[in-house]
Amino acid sequence: MSERSALGLSDYVVHDERPARRTHYCVDGSGPVTVLFEAGLGKSRSTWARTQPLVARFARTVVYDRAGLGRSDSTAAPRTFEALLRDHLTVLDTVVTGPCILVGHSYGGPIVRRAAAERPDKVVGIVLVDEVNESAGADLLRRAMAGAGALYGAQVWLARVGLLGRALRRTYFRALDGAAQSEVVAESGRVGAAKAARSEWQNMIAGIHDLEATGPHVPDLPLTEITSNRSRTPKQVEKDFIYRSHRATVDAVTDGRHVSSRSRNHYIQLAEPELVAAEIERMSKKFLLRFSA
């Protein structure tokens, strides 16, 4: 292994491209099941920094950085959904052997669902953490995220003047501390990382449109949706199109489970890591019982 990260032993997958490009990943823990984590839009492996150590107690865990994020090399190619999926599949094919549970947060949700459909020989379950789902509708998502373009543009400017790391420490990553926080602030505060995140956003709605037109993409595998507790009354639930999309995904599989977090935080894996780890462990135990029967 070439380096160490706060999230475990660190190495790189080399893509067969010209010029060659490296995708960074970390491995921690051991066990008969591997858990591969996928971050949300514009985020690195470090969004799993509170959840991965809990899961590493009972499973082999893999976290990684998509192109331009964390320690991975950047690319000039647009960060389309298919490009993000290719990064995920490269890590899955190269680093993961044996049965695997895929865990995706936010925009990482459709990535892991598509990956599971393409690698049915490896993937035995899916855990989705407040995912962005194509069944919610691309147009509704675009309206709900109307300010995102300005946000990602502002992050590039803040990175250029050296202030993005400080802003991220006080917002997205305030739940982290020590080496994990220092690592993500240094890596995510770079101009290159801010540009990669902006490129992912610029291609996101088009990606959801394509998924909506060809989907829904829900492989019939054991699947758990963990939804942020944004809707506290029946009337709010009725209007919550994200919640409805999660319910529709759970209802589409033979073995589906839907749970809600206590808080309204979209980053459930940082706010309530024990909840996410418990659902992953539940799925792992279910597979092992089924496999040994």
Side-chain angles (χ1 to χ4, degrees):
M1 299 289 179
S2 55
E3 334 178 54
R4 187 168 184 90
S5 159
L7 279 73
L9 294 174
S10 178
D11 207 344
Y12 294 85
V13 172
V14 180
H15 297 255
D16 186 17
E17 299 177 5
R18 296 293 181 270
R21 174 169 67 87
R22 304 177 308 161
T23 290
H24 172 255
Y25 68 90
C26 297
V27 177
D28 196 15
S30 62
V33 175
T34 297
V35 179
L36 172 59
F37 295 88
E38 181 64 66
L41 182 74
K43 296 297 184 292
S44 72
R45 71 192 185 282
S46 295
T47 57
W48 300 106
R50 297 195 72 202
T51 298
Q52 186 207 22
L54 302 178
V55 178
R57 295 173 184 173
F58 60 84
R60 180 175 182 257
T61 63
V62 180
V63 292
Y64 82 102
D65 301 314
R66 295 191 297 268
L69 303 172
R71 298 180 183 179
S72 287
D73 292 342
S74 61
T75 175
R79 302 307 293 151
T80 64
F81 178 84
E82 293 299 326
L84 307 191
L85 177 61
R86 285 196 298 273
D87 276 8
H88 182 95
L89 289 173
T90 297
V91 176
L92 179 58
D93 292 342
T94 307
V95 182
V96 176
T97 57
C100 180
I101 294 171
L102 301 182
V103 183
H105 171 244
S106 195
Y107 196 38
I111 294 174
V112 302
R113 286 188 280 105
R114 277 281 306 275
E118 297 203 18
R119 299 295 186 270
D121 56 322
K122 278 190 174 182
V123 181
V124 299
I126 304 168
V127 176
L128 304 166
V129 183
D130 214 31
E131 71 158 334
V132 173
N133 191 304
E134 64 270 18
S135 65
D139 290 335
L140 272 176
L141 287 168
R142 176 179 50 80
R143 290 197 292 271
M145 301 177 70
L151 171 65
Y152 286 106
Q155 287 185 356
V156 174
W157 179 84
L158 286 170
R160 284 177 175 149
V161 299
L163 296 176
L164 180 57
R166 186 184 305 176
L168 293 173
R169 178 183 284 112
R170 294 176 177 176
T171 54
Y172 292 112
F173 303 117
R174 63 184 180 274
L176 298 180
D177 55 21
Q181 188 187 68
S182 298
E183 198 167 79
V184 69
V185 166
E187 293 172 359
S188 300
R190 298 180 295 107
V191 173
K195 286 183 175 181
R198 182 178 62 183
S199 182
E200 289 192 3
W201 158 249
Q202 289 170 337
N203 289 278
M204 176 188 168
I205 298 301
I208 294 292
H209 266 297
D210 290 344
L211 290 166
E212 186 181 9
T214 58
H217 297 273
V218 188
D220 195 9
L221 289 168
L223 181 148
T224 297
E225 285 270 14
I226 307 175
T227 301
S228 176
N229 192 14
R230 286 176 293 269
S231 305
R232 301 182 185 274
T233 68
K235 189 173 183 178
Q236 288 175 326
V237 170
E238 185 180 341
K239 294 181 178 180
D240 188 343
F241 67 99
I242 296 291
Y243 180 94
R244 294 198 306 270
S245 73
H246 293 178
R247 282 298 325 165
T249 299
V250 170
D251 291 342
V253 300
T254 304
D255 184 2
R257 174 175 166 84
H258 191 195
V259 299
S260 292
S261 65
R262 294 187 303 274
S263 74
R264 300 168 62 90
N265 196 319
H266 177 53
Y267 286 80
I268 303 171
Q269 71 271 36
L270 290 173
E272 300 178 41
E274 296 83 2
L275 170 63
V276 179
E279 291 301 323
I280 298 170
E281 185 172 22
R282 181 181 182 277
M283 185 166 288
S284 176
K285 287 180 176 178
K286 180 186 291 188
F287 166 74
L288 293 173
L289 283 171
R290 192 166 64 246
F291 181 76
S292 61

